[in-house]
Amino acid sequence: MELVYPHDFRLTEKEKTSICYLSFPDSYSGGLGDTQFSFRLRQAGGSRSSPFQDDGSYNREAPPTLQREAAHYFGYVYFRQVKDSSMRRGYFQKSLVLVSRLPYVNLFQCLLQLIAPEYFDKLEPCLEAVCNEIDQWPPPVPGRTLNLPVMGVVIQVRIPSRVDKPGSSPVKQCNQENLLPAPLVLPSVHELDLFRCFQPVLIHIQMLWELMLLGEPMVVMAPSPTMSSELVLALTSCLAPLRYCCDFRPYFTIHDSEFKEYTTRTQAPPNIIVGVTNPFFIKTLQHWPHILRVGELRMSGDLPKQVKVKKLAKLKTLDTKPGIYTSYKTFLHKDKTLIKRLLKGIQRKRPSEVQSALLRRHLLELTQSFIIPLEHYMASLMPLQRAITPWKNPPQIRPFCQEDFMKSLEHAGPQLTCVLKGDWLGLYRRFFKSPNFDGWFRQRHREMTQKLEALHLEAICEADIVAWMKDKSEVEIVDLVLKLREKLVRARCQHLPVKEETLQRVSLYIATVIGSLPEDLQTVLRHP
């Protein structure tokens, strides 16, 4: 590793080694020129503060799929390989890597396209100048359109927000400033060209969606890090707006510190999707249940050549042909209308971004049809608002009962919004065992608990506190002060969905209650 910018960015030796290995193609790549790909790396050691520390407001306002990672880094790579007789190996090989906790693959790869060619030419001074410019960028606030100047170009991009309607196109800026030079507008900070990424597997999109939903272990084997990383990122994004809660490695090498952990045969493969290029992995990972092998993209007639589903037993250690090696049987029937629409698009030479939008819309509707019944059932577990009284602890959220949920599907299941037939009940039962259900349930339960806390605070504000105090002992009143203070601290720390005026009224209540007590107690309570 030649240099790190900014200089004060701390990486452990283990992280530095991993980044070095992940920044170069793992197997021999005869291709000359420039290549871009990405990887994801587990943070080594304890938690470290980010230089852009916020109070958690970004993650609260961002869509779940774009939240800042706490325990992983993303690496965005620009690799150059050109013949150079002055080098010992006869080649110039160098990578510029941008490391971030944010999954902004489009923005950061676009940034590298601007910086890397200049950096390979001018080296460190160029990087120092770029870092000084990036230091002046505004923070990524969800819902805002940012103008980001770098090297004489202004990149313009909108940061998606949690309140955006899923599937809607980015909002156009109405009051566009007259930017000179005209900005380089990115249509999305993170969305890949799904149609291009999924070209060899379009007819299996239903199966791949199910495997992602269930968090099944999968190996994606591709001829290049670019194909492997894009396909892995496309697969994890096909559950949006549901967050893919399993581990994923867009590009993985035999030098990775987790290599032994993933290749061991003494335990079942972990819930992870790994992208690899080295054929050695066919041997070491042949016990995994799902292996997707794609070759170089070849157009055959109208549709790019589609891989076939094959039995795992047919997986040859050497010269494995492209295919999905699995014994998995889908729960839902294949959607033939989607393939027909995509085929028609190919015949009419429809632009790739239009085909991608079609594919993304289909996957979004599929995920929503699956998730909406779960959302409705979860909402029914919330206590009624009239059960929330000011002077008692808020009631508990009722437990999630899988059998009750299954019964609710008869009249409020996915069949209301999705034409696909199949064993939806079997799919839900399998989903309940996956990390994706666990991640979704924890998030929803946390949000509902916070909502209950907020409603309880509002109930306290609407109560007649003076009337309540009339027949209460000093001990009970002091107890109320301590409880209200605790609630106030929690509301501010956890950023509960409560209006500021409600919190101010609670502070006023605390002052009123303390004022009714004898002076000695007032002194103690006013200086906790």
Side-chain angles (χ1 to χ4, degrees), residues 423-485:
D423 182 11
W424 285 96
L425 295 184
L427 189 59
Y428 279 114
R429 283 191 200 283
R430 188 90 171 255
F431 177 66
F432 289 143
K433 297 173 186 165
S434 81
N436 288 327
F437 170 70
D438 187 57
W440 171 83
F441 176 75
R442 283 168 188 265
Q443 175 67 21
R444 281 289 169 272
H445 199 274
R446 187 161 55 246
E447 286 167 4
M448 285 164 72
T449 306
Q450 290 183 343
K451 179 71 179 161
L452 270 177
E453 283 275 343
L455 290 170
H456 192 226
L457 271 175
E458 283 167 17
I460 289 168
C461 283
E462 285 162 17
D464 184 347
I465 203 157
V466 178
W468 178 85
M469 286 192 301
K470 274 180 186 166
D471 57 344
K472 298 293 181 287
S473 67
E474 279 180 12
V475 173
E476 288 173 297
I477 291 171
V478 169
D479 188 49
L480 175 71
V481 169
L482 298 177
K483 277 184 176 163
L484 286 180
R485 269 197 181 143

Side-chain angles (χ1 to χ4, degrees), residues 130 134 161 164 183 194 226 234 356 369 371 504:
V130 163
I134 292 173
S161 161
D164 293 347
L194 280 194
T226 308
S356 282
S369 294
I371 279 297
Q504 284 170 359

Side-chain angles (χ1 to χ4, degrees), residues 355-366:
Q355 295 278 73
S356 282
L358 200 74
L359 204 46
R360 192 169 275 110
R361 164 64 56 187
H362 168 79
L363 291 165
L364 172 71
E365 286 171 358
L366 194 53

Side-chain angles (χ1 to χ4, degrees), residues 325-378:
Y325 294 85
T326 180
S327 54
Y328 181 80
K329 296 283 180 284
T330 57
F331 287 91
L332 306 180
H333 303 324
K334 202 175 275 188
D335 187 353
K336 290 183 179 151
T337 55
L338 171 73
I339 305 302
K340 283 177 186 166
R341 288 172 75 189
L342 291 171
L343 253 174
K344 194 176 276 184
I346 293 170
Q347 287 157 359
R348 292 180 175 175
K349 298 193 167 38
R350 202 185 278 151
S352 187
E353 58 267 27
V354 178
Q355 295 278 73
S356 282
L358 200 74
L359 204 46
R360 192 169 275 110
R361 164 64 56 187
H362 168 79
L363 291 165
L364 172 71
E365 286 171 358
L366 194 53
T367 303
Q368 285 182 322
S369 294
F370 184 82
I371 279 297
I372 286 168
L374 281 162
E375 297 279 6
H376 283 167
Y377 174 72
M378 196 74 187

Side-chain angles (χ1 to χ4, degrees), residues 21 58 137 168 231 233 246 307 314 325 328 337 365 511 527:
Y21 280 125
Y58 172 81
W137 285 6
S168 61
L231 192 45
L233 291 176
C246 307
V307 304
K314 291 199 172 172
Y325 294 85
Y328 181 80
T337 55
E365 286 171 358
H527 304 283

Side-chain angles (χ1 to χ4, degrees), residues 94-110:
K94 193 173 275 195
S95 284
L96 181 64
V97 186
L98 189 154
V99 176
S100 172
R101 293 186 187 278
L102 293 166
Y104 293 171
V105 60
N106 282 359
L107 172 62
F108 294 142
Q109 292 291 21
C110 168

